[in-house]
Amino acid sequence: MPTIVVDVMPKAELLDPQGKAVAGALARTGHEGFGSVRIGKRFELTVDGPVDDALRASVQQIAEEILSNSVIEDVVNIDFGDEATPADESTEGTAPTEG
């Protein structure tokens, strides 16, 4: 059974209080060299059948409409198991989609 992984991150222009807290904890505990930390969400969707174009389109819609809040989050990557496929189809897996 294929597993599809969807990564969602807060929009870059928004504050990430959880990330800021982790960055502070890293500094306090002597872990240096990290400029910032951003915390997002990872969803794993296991499918019963093959991953085809219809399923890919469905997962894209689910990611944008259900798994993320487009006001404050971006779907940054959808990995269909056979290849890393960023949500915006760029070559980088961390580029946010327009929303």
Side-chain angles (χ1 to χ4, degrees):
M1 287 192 224
T3 299
I4 299 169
V5 177
V6 179
D7 296 313
V8 176
M9 294 294 292
K11 289 188 178 284
E13 60 271 13
L14 297 179
L15 295 175
D16 181 358
Q18 290 178 311
K20 189 170 184 171
V22 170
L26 291 174
R28 283 191 307 279
T29 58
H31 299 282
E32 298 178 6
F34 299 97
S36 66
V37 176
R38 308 253 330 142
I39 295 179
K41 299 184 283 189
R42 172 187 169 115
F43 298 91
E44 294 183 359
L45 308 169
T46 303
V47 296
D48 294 329
V51 177
D52 58 13
D53 289 342
L55 181 67
R56 288 174 185 264
S58 181
V59 169
Q60 182 72 40
Q61 182 179 9
I62 290 166
E64 293 172 359
E65 295 177 2
I66 298 172
L67 303 181
S68 67
N69 177 344
S70 64
V71 174
I72 60 171
E73 297 172 318
D74 289 317
V75 177
V76 295
N77 190 56
I78 300 176
D79 182 350
F80 291 93
D82 55 354
E83 61 183 78
T85 306
D88 70 349
E89 297 183 18
S90 73
T91 57
E92 299 272 339
T94 58
T97 58
E98 295 297 319

